[in-house]
Every structure is written in C-alpha cells, then in structure tokens.
Amino acid sequence: MNTSLSWIKAYVPELDVSAQEYADAMTLSGTKVEGYEKMDADLDKIVIGRIEKIEKHPDADKLVVCQVNIGAETIQIVTGAPNVFEGAKVPVVLDGGRVAGGHDGSRTPGGIKIKKGKLRGVMSNGMMCSIEELGSNRDMYPESPEEGIYIFPEEAQIGADAVQALGLDDVVVEYEVTSNRVDCFSVVGIAREAAATFDKKFEPPVVTETGNDEDVNDYIKVSVENTQLCPRYCARVVKNIKIGPSPKWMQRRLASVGIRPINNLVDITNYVMEEYGQPMHAYDLDTISGRQIIVKTAQDGDIFTTLDGQERKLDQDVLMICDGEKEIGIAGIMGGENSMITDDVKTMLFEAACFDGVNIRKSSKRVGLRTDASGKFEKGLDPNNAKAAIDRACQLVEELGAGEVVGGTVDVYGKEKKPVRVPFDAEKINAMLGTDISEGEMLGYFKKIGLEYDGETKEVISPTFRQDLFRLADLAEEVARFYGYDNIPTTLPSGEATAGKLSFKLRIEQVARDIAEFCGFSQGMCYSFESPKVFDKLLLPADSPLRRTVEIMNPLGEDYSIMRTTSLNGMLTSLASNYNRRNKDVRLYELGNIYLPKSLPLTELPEERMQFTLGMYGKGDFFSMKGVIEEFFEKIGMKNKETYDPNAGRPYLHPGRQANVIYDGKVIGYLGEIHPEVADIYGIGERAYVAVIDMPEIMEYATFDRKYNGIAKYPAVTRDISMVVPKHILAGQIEEVISAKGGKYLESYALFDLYEGAQIKEGFKSVAYSTVFRAKDKTLEDAEVTEAMDRILKALEGMGIELRK
C-alpha cells in the first residue's frame, strides 16, 4: 500500500512532521512503513519562468536563444526544445540547481547539477526542463508534450517554485499492511491511524448523498443469485456524461501513488478505490441488455473477453456480473469489453459491491488475471463501506461536472454486518501488558481509532471496518501500540515459570526421559498421522474403540489420513526399521500424544493424551521392561502400590506375557511381549517388548514431596518364608498379603528364590521370601515378630499355599 504524505495531510490538516518522523512514529504504532521516497529529492533551484523573447542561435540551426523572466530578473538560456514560444511559462533550473535525470527519462542518483556556460559560443545561464528531467513522465502528466519542454498553464505565477506547482514536493510512503487490517488498504484508513498516532484531529471527507428527483430503480434492476459470494451490491446511475480531464489535484494524487490519470470518470473510480479502499466499476448503461444486473456464477467452459482484450476461460466457481442476456464483467476482477466506457457514453452505471475474498483470490488465479481491484477484494472488504464509497464517487461526479447523478441507490444487502462487541476489562489488559494504564486512558485510545464504549455492558463496540478485533487480547494490542511499546516496562511473566522451574507436568515428563535414557533407551519421534490399516496390523477387532479416529480433511495420502489413537504402531515401525538395518539390542522410547475423539462426527477438538511408550528387542525380557516402569514410578513418588493384571486381553500382545498396570484400582498402562503374529507382520524377527504408560492417569498420584527418615538406631530381625505355591498364584498376590498382614514393624520384603522341578509336586512352584522387621523406638522382641509372621502365614494358607518342610 502506497500513499502520498500530502494526501494524508489533507485528512489530518494539523499534521506537521518530516518524512522520517512520520515513518518512525507510524511504524511504532503498528502501521509499518517499509520506506519512503521524496519526489523532489534530486530537484533544486527550479522556478517558473516566462519566455519573453526568442532569437535564432548565430552558430547552430537547431538551437535558439531565449530571454526568460524568472521574476527577480531576466536570464538568457540556450535551448534546442522544439515547442518553445514567446509567452510560454516553463520550469527553469537556475545556475547551481539540479534535475533528476535526462530528457530520455533516465534517472541519475543524486541528480544532475546544472551550471551556467556557453553553448556554441553563446552564454546560457540555466536550463528549461521537460517533465522527464523532473523525474516523472507523460503517463503521470498527460498534458506534457511528447518532445520538448513542459509548459505550465497561463495562471502559473512567474518566479514561483516549479516543483511545488507540479506537486512534486511530496513524499510517497510505502506500507507493509497485514491482511487482517483491511481498513489500512485505503488513504482514509491510513490517515485515521496517522491522526491517532500523532494525536491530531482526523477530518475524513464529508460525503453527502447527491442526485436529482428521478428514481434509479426506473433505470436499472439488480438481483443477486449468490448472496454468499456477493453479500452486498450497490448501483447508481449518472446521465448526461461529460468526459474530460480530471482536475490537477486529482491527477497529482493519483500520480503520486502510481496511477496514470486517464479521464474524469476513470479517475474518479480509481480515486475512490484508493481513498476508501473500495474498488468500483463503471458500465455504459446503454450496453446493458434489459436494463438489469444479475450477479451469478459462470458455467463451465464459458469464454469471456475482458477490458484488456484477452479471452478468459471460466468455470462454475467464478462469480460474474451479467445483464439480461450476457456476461459483462468478472466480479471483483475486471469488466468486459462489451460494456466498456467509451468517449460516446451518455449514461453510466456505477457499481460498488462486496465480494467474497477467498472466491476472488481463487477466481483471479483461475482466469490468470490479478488487478488492483482483486488485490483489495481478496482481503475481505467491509460491506458497509460500499454505500459510502459509491456516494463519494457520485459526489465527485457532480463536483467535477462530469454528469448528472440520478437520485437513489439500488442496494441489495442480504445479512447486514453488525459491529462486534468485545468485553472490556482494564485490569486484565494491564495484567497482559505488565502496565498500569488507567481505564480512561485506554478508552481515549479506542476513541481515537473509531471504537465506541458501552458503559452499561462494559463492552467496546468495534466498527465493521475493523475486522481484526474480536477478543480482549485484540484490545490489549490496541492499547499497547498507542501507549507505546517502548514505554511498556520490563516485568517478569507471572505464574510458576517465574520460580525458575518447569511445570509439574513437564517435570514428570523429564523424569520419564531421564529414567528411559539411564536404562539405555534412545528417544524417538513418531508421526501423529497414520493409516487405517494400522488397526488390522495390530489385530484389533472391528468393534475396538481405537478404530474411532479423527480423519484428516486434506491428507497427504491414505497412509497419513487419520490421527493416531495408539502409540504402538509408531514404536513397532521404528523397531522394525532398526531390525531390518541389523541393529542389535535396540531400546527406544517416545513421549507423544494420541488423539481420542469425544464424539463422531467431530463437534469439538479431540482429547490429546500424552503416552510414555517404551519398546525393545535383544537383551532383556518382560521383567526388564517391568523394572524400568517400576523405577519410573518410584522416582515420581508412586511407591509399591502398582499391581499387574495378566488378563489384559490385548490382541497385539503375547497372550501369556502381558499385563495391565493398575494403580489405586485404575489401569494406567500396560506392558508385555509383542504377539508373534504382529511381530511377523511388522518384520521383527525376534521377541520384542513394549510398555505404554498413560501420563494423564498418573498425574494425580505422582509427587515430588519427600520425607527424610533418619538412620535406624535399633537392629532388624530377618525371617525367611519358603512356600509351595499353586502355579496360578502370582508373586504380586503373595506380596500383597505380606504387606497387608506384616504390621507396623514390617520394613521390607524381597523374593530371593523361585523353583519348579521334580522335587516340587505337579501344578506347584517353590517360592521363598525374605522379610525384615524393625522398630524405630526399641529393639523388637521375638514374640512381636512371631505374631506378625503368624498373621502372614495364616493368610497365605487361606490362599492354598503351604509352608515348605
């Protein structure tokens, strides 16, 4: 987006800053200035002079000697320009002055210095310039001659600054406007920001609805078939058209932003597009069949010729402006050759509409045509701006005498866009920014940029042209940029992070990493996107809840078409890759999310659950894996309370070597050997083991609180128990009994022998435990230990366990 500084000052009259001051302040307040160019940077000592007398050069047929009145004096200048004549008012570069470049339009960095001297023996005290030598061209100054010196109009004042008279004493500013600030793609929007930045009064153009006593509905009918792609369409009619050049002030403003002046009607549409950010289009009403406009999409394969004479191939997604018989324009991009404005136009139709930005962008790419209008439409314009823009255009038509405006407006407006109301809380904004700004000061900032405040509901009312304000954080940003980012004090963020440590969740995850790596596991990362075929590879039944997945709308392919509901596939794929590369004794772990939909089809975001997944093959077995997770539990304060249920029923694990991990009655994970069939499917040629811990489930049990116990002062008493145990009874069940019946003096217990063989009767196994008893305040007596052992033995006998003789 480019604007001239003089155009901005037209709406902020009190603005009196240099170009550098303007650029710095606007950037700091959020309207980033990419750069600026002083149009008169290479121009110096150039005044308006009048040629009083012309004589032939005595020694050159193509040169003439001119006496030029520059106000204070008359100087002699030798020139070869073919268009000079006595009485002509021309730009004159005085001795020591500078011009921007050569007559051919080339520019010289720093300009060209002009010195007095002799030309073919005749003294010349300066130079008369063409528009190209002043750094511009005939596109921007169409009144300048094709060859020769620029001629000022008769009313130009002799001796005045020629650069100022030409409007070249200006600065063109280039902005980097983000796509969410649609209002700043207009001069009015930038001027509003400038007024707020410099705390000056903003005076936008006063728009009055013009028109005669006629009714526009007698001239044109409008219907919009696709209101989704065209939420608003405004049309007005101008008759008795008088085409001519636009006034110099309009030409200069258009030229300053790189738009070539053409004629009053075209210039008005371009001017309003730049001023209001609302593209407009003009049609010759006499070429519109049936005097009606229909807004609808094209048909596949349609061919349409645009104003530039090029044929464009259309499809059913391209929105078109049609009359009663044919298509007359591609909506938001370019009009058609069949309805173009010519010099013979008598009655004209003005169009100011709002089109869907995404559709305009896609249509522009489809038809291979991008214009200034489409560039603005694709940002998503404010439909409430269309009426003001078309009224402004008609106002300019009457002011410039370009025609007679017919009364009324055809306005097809479906669902009206309403201002957004944002809850306002000054305390929360100060908390976000780390500031101490009063509520009144904040509301003052809002008022400067056109926001209103409802004191009863404590809501800020955001006008529809501000399409970027929806929540309190947006209001905080507005406060910050006008308060001044450089004025915001340095503060520490609030919350646990200021204590210099990780959050509790991250600390648990860090312990998981540390334990895994201490036990020889390397960290891996697996894809969150998977294939539906994964569930068949894991032998999951058809009704498994794990098959209820979140499907990707635009997947890279079937192999990445769903969000994973189990972390097992990623781990097994990684183990298989290592096995196929002949890596031995591989141990891997992953901390990654699974995604469980709360309902299908999705009505809200899925539940994300962090999984601590361990996988290995080579050295180690089921109990090695069990030891790793028990060490993890111990490290996070979950001591000796986990149990294991071998009836896990997980089809992807070996039926005799799997278990659910249970803590306080809840399943918090599982571990086991991979089912041989699953291992074969993945291509793992030896026994592989996995463990998966559901991290959210263990958070309520984990703790980093530790209580110090002093060194024991009294001796321990050790008793061994040797038992003959039915094979179906697990060691964990025996340990539960020992722990429950051992009493307050039981300090520890440990399995030290497990035997099955000929000396043990069939269906049984020999199990031996060592138990340790100790009191903190005395030496235990034999009777106290015997009493505890009797309780343990009695409970074990109730389970069918016998003491080994």
Side-chain angles (χ1 to χ4, degrees), residues 418-426 429 432 443 446 451-455 457-463 466-476 478:
K418 299 289 186 180
V420 175
R421 302 177 74 94
V422 184
F424 172 68
D425 188 325
I429 290 178
M432 286 182 187
L443 295 177
F446 298 153
L451 276 62
E452 299 177 1
Y453 180 63
D454 186 338
T457 62
K458 291 189 177 298
E459 292 175 318
V460 172
I461 303 172
S462 172
R466 285 302 301 269
Q467 301 185 32
D468 60 317
L469 302 181
F470 297 102
R471 55 189 68 85
L472 189 66
D474 299 329
L475 297 182
E478 298 302 298

Side-chain angles (χ1 to χ4, degrees), residues 256-329:
S256 69
V257 295
I259 297 178
R260 179 171 63 92
I262 297 175
N263 60 50
N264 49 9
L265 292 180
V266 175
D267 291 353
I268 285 171
T269 59
N270 286 333
Y271 185 85
V272 173
M273 179 175 71
E274 293 301 313
E275 185 179 49
Y276 275 77
Q278 171 65 52
M280 299 185 62
H281 191 68
Y283 299 97
D284 186 341
L285 188 62
D286 293 329
T287 66
I288 297 177
S289 300
R291 293 296 178 95
Q292 61 176 324
I293 292 292
I294 304 170
V295 184
K296 60 182 181 180
T297 51
Q299 298 294 321
D300 286 337
D302 284 358
I303 302 295
F304 181 71
T305 304
T306 47
L307 277 171
D308 56 4
Q310 300 295 313
E311 290 187 346
R312 311 287 176 178
K313 187 175 181 180
L314 311 175
D315 61 36
Q316 62 180 357
D317 294 321
V318 178
L319 190 67
M320 301 296 294
I321 309 298
C322 309
D323 61 16
E325 297 178 354
K326 60 186 180 301
E327 297 158 331
I328 59 174

